[in-house]
Amino acid sequence: MRYGKKLLALILGFVLLLGGAMTTSAQEAQASVTVKGLSGTTTEIRLYKMIGLDETQNNWVVEQWAKNYVKVDEKGQYSYDLSQVSVPAKPTDSKTTSETQVTFSGLDMGAYLITVVDTTGVTTYNNGVATTYEYNEESGLIQPKQAEIFAKSFGSKTEKTQTEEAGVADDAVVEVGSVISYEISTVIPYFDGEDDTFWISDTLTGATYNNDAVAMIGNQVVFDKDSLKTDATKTESETFRYDMSSLLEGNQYAGQTLRLVYTATVLGADQVTNVASASNNPQGNMPTTVVYTGKATITKYGEDKEKLSGAKFILFCERDAKIQYAVIENGYLKSWTTDKKKASQVTTDKNGVAVIKGLNVGSYYVEETQAPKGYSVANPESFKGNFYAGKIEIEKLVKDKEVLVEGKTSVTDSKLMVLPSTGGMGTTIFFIGGATLACIGAGGYLVLKKKNEKVA
């Protein structure tokens, strides 16, 4: 009897141990859902349980909120129409991530509606459904499933950034000849078997494209500048439209961010405008960047504040620790030279104004090389041994103020002293007077001489 009790205790202990192991196994075998293909921006993923297994009744039950959208049979086969779905205020589970995928573990067997919201507003996703159970063909029983679904994006806002390689990156002012780096980014859409087109386009004005675009996903180059092909649907106004459709194959890159990196050189223009687009853009999303070139305005005055035409100036500044002079073409800066003899001259017009455009922010000096007729050249100031008539400051563009950036100076010339001209009326009077006195003297001399001769 004593051994029987020990045996019974041993069996009970084994049963408890086995029960604990079964519980642990059941916990480990709980279902999960992994959502892949997220864009990597801050994204909120929510799960809403639609149907579940009622173990006491051994049948599938549609959750109360989903009864208008979901139908399920006794075998767990379900159908749904979620086109006009209204979800409950509280999800079954939710997570926010900046990764490209997220996993929900410890879920019950059933089916879940999944909503994906990019809180940055860049990418728009369709709702998805995941099933967290499956039938074991060998045992004939239902078992939990580790489900995976792909977040299907149907639209992504194209974004653009720009930097000036020559220096200033945040003042919205550039110089003619500067190189601007651009980057267009968009999320590669999920290919649903229908629309197999994917392209990126750009329209540049005021700058010339350097034909050096490279397409990248992360640090991986997927198209170099030689393999990018112009899309046949390119419009006449577009600078380029590149076909990226091959990236949709097999959804290998779906949900990942594609970056198109390239440069453009600023032309002689008051501003540079860049408009980007992509085939998966939401309607109306055309990201545009604008930078401006500055201008220097010189106004020439006389002593009485009258505006003078015909004054000539050259522009110079300090660059790379050297004095350099502006070479100008069609009113815009073309280049800089250290040879003063090669500097371009600008002339004030009938309004006494001369303008040099296409400049960056900075300090500039104007030297008057020729004054209008009747006036003296005015270069009273000195900068590192170089005399100048006026200083111009072109400053940073005020944020959101879309105007041409302008620096101004005024120069006042003095009138020259007016002297009698050679052969003028003044010298004629003196000449006549002198001649008259000479004649009178000569006549007097002759009269005296004759008188003396008679006396003798």
Side-chain angles (χ1 to χ4, degrees):
M1 185 68 179
R2 183 175 58 184
Y3 291 105
K5 290 182 178 179
K6 290 183 177 180
L7 181 60
L8 180 59
L10 183 63
I11 292 172
L12 288 173
F14 178 74
V15 170
L16 290 172
L17 180 63
L18 182 61
M22 290 176 66
T23 301
T24 302
S25 176
Q27 290 175 346
E28 291 177 351
Q30 283 186 303
S32 67
V33 172
T34 298
V35 182
K36 297 182 175 181
L38 304 174
S39 65
T41 53
T42 306
T43 307
E44 183 179 27
I45 304 93
R46 294 185 176 186
L47 268 63
Y48 300 89
K49 189 177 181 181
M50 297 193 310
I51 64 173
L53 180 63
D54 184 346
E55 295 183 5
T56 60
Q57 300 295 323
N58 196 30
N59 62 359
W60 295 99
V61 178
V62 178
E63 297 293 314
Q64 184 63 37
W65 72 268
K67 287 186 175 180
N68 292 332
Y69 316 107
V70 182
K71 294 181 179 179
V72 62
D73 60 24
E74 57 192 21
K75 293 183 178 180
Q77 301 294 324
Y78 62 92
S79 59
Y80 55 86
D81 180 4
L82 302 174
S83 58
Q84 302 294 326
V85 67
S86 177
V87 298
K90 186 177 180 180
T92 305
D93 200 354
S94 67
K95 290 186 177 183
T96 300
T97 183
S98 295
E99 303 295 328
T100 56
Q101 68 177 48
V102 65
T103 298
F104 295 86
S105 302
L107 300 176
D108 294 334
M109 292 188 294
Y112 294 81
L113 169 67
I114 300 171
T115 64
V116 182
V117 176
D118 182 348
T119 60
T120 66
V122 172
T123 306
T124 308
Y125 297 90
N126 288 315
N127 293 335
V129 173
T131 303
T132 58
Y133 65 90
E134 59 188 356
Y135 287 95
N136 188 316
E137 295 182 357
E138 294 182 0
S139 65
L141 301 176
I142 299 172
Q143 64 184 27
K145 177 182 178 182
Q146 280 64 57
E148 293 184 355
I149 74 163
F150 216 97
K152 299 179 180 180
S153 63
F154 65 87
S156 174
K157 288 184 177 179
T158 301
E159 296 184 325
K160 172 178 284 187
T161 58
Q162 66 181 9
T163 55
E164 183 189 353
E165 292 185 355
V168 183
D170 61 353
D171 57 21
V173 185
V174 295
E175 181 179 281
V176 172
S178 295
V179 175
I180 303 176
S181 294
Y182 291 103
E183 180 176 303
I184 302 173
S185 60
T186 190
V187 175
I188 301 171
Y190 180 86
F191 176 47
D192 58 4
E194 296 181 3
D195 186 3
D196 60 353
T197 60
F198 177 46
W199 50 260
I200 292 177
S201 74
D202 194 72
T203 303
L204 271 168
T205 56
T208 181
Y209 171 46
N210 293 327
N211 206 31
D212 57 357
V214 175
M216 306 178 69
I217 298 176
N219 293 322
Q220 176 190 359
V221 176
V222 290
F223 292 106
D224 61 23
K225 65 179 182 179
D226 297 321
S227 60
L228 282 169
K229 296 181 180 179
T230 301
D231 194 290
T233 60
K234 174 184 175 297
T235 65
E236 290 185 7
S237 63
E238 289 176 330
T239 303
F240 62 73
R241 179 180 286 198
Y242 288 132
D243 184 6
M244 309 284 185
S245 301
S246 61
L247 298 177
L248 303 181
E249 296 174 5
N251 286 315
Q252 178 183 359
Y253 300 109
Q256 297 187 49
T257 299
L258 178 70
R259 297 183 299 116
L260 191 71
V261 182
Y262 62 98
T263 67
T265 301
V266 179
L267 299 174
D270 294 341
Q271 68 181 48
V272 178
T273 304
N274 195 322
V275 183
S277 186
S279 55
N280 61 332
N281 260 347
Q283 188 173 4
N285 173 45
M286 300 284 282
T288 302
T289 58
V290 181
V291 292
Y292 302 86
T293 59
K295 73 176 181 179
T297 300
I298 310 160
T299 305
K300 181 70 173 179
Y301 293 97
E303 288 179 336
D304 299 325
K305 296 301 180 181
E306 70 276 23
K307 292 182 178 180
L308 303 177
S309 64
K312 296 183 181 296
F313 296 90
I314 59 174
L315 182 80
F316 70 88
C317 68
E318 184 179 23
R319 296 170 65 93
D320 302 323
K322 297 178 181 178
I323 298 299
Q324 300 196 35
Y325 302 89
V327 178
I328 301 161
E329 186 176 272
N330 298 323
Y332 287 90
L333 173 72
K334 180 182 179 182
S335 61
W336 294 96
T337 178
T338 56
D339 187 350
K340 188 174 182 178
K341 294 179 181 178
K342 295 181 179 178
S344 298
Q345 295 187 101
V346 292
T347 306
T348 55
D349 59 18
K350 63 181 180 180
N351 297 313
V353 175
V355 177
I356 303 168
K357 298 190 286 185
L359 301 171
N360 208 331
V361 294
S363 300
Y364 300 89
Y365 305 86
V366 290
E367 177 186 338
E368 187 173 13
T369 56
Q370 181 178 314
K373 187 176 180 180
Y375 291 84
S376 61
V377 170
N379 290 306
E381 305 292 336
S382 176
F383 174 73
K384 294 191 174 182
N386 293 268
F387 291 96
Y388 65 91
K391 183 179 180 181
I392 295 173
E393 293 286 352
I394 297 179
E395 300 179 348
K396 292 184 178 182
L397 180 68
V398 178
K399 188 177 181 181
D400 299 329
K401 188 178 180 182
E402 296 186 356
V403 297
L404 186 64
V405 185
E406 184 176 15
K408 298 180 179 180
T409 190
S410 61
V411 179
T412 301
D413 281 356
S414 300
K415 293 181 179 179
L416 294 171
M417 293 288 292
V418 179
L419 298 174
S421 60
T422 303
M425 180 59 74
T427 56
T428 302
I429 293 172
F430 284 110
F431 177 78
I432 294 173
T436 301
L437 290 174
C439 290
I440 293 172
Y445 171 76
L446 292 174
V447 169
L448 290 174
K449 184 179 180 181
K450 288 181 178 180
K451 286 182 177 180
N452 291 332
E453 287 178 350
K454 290 179 179 180
V455 172

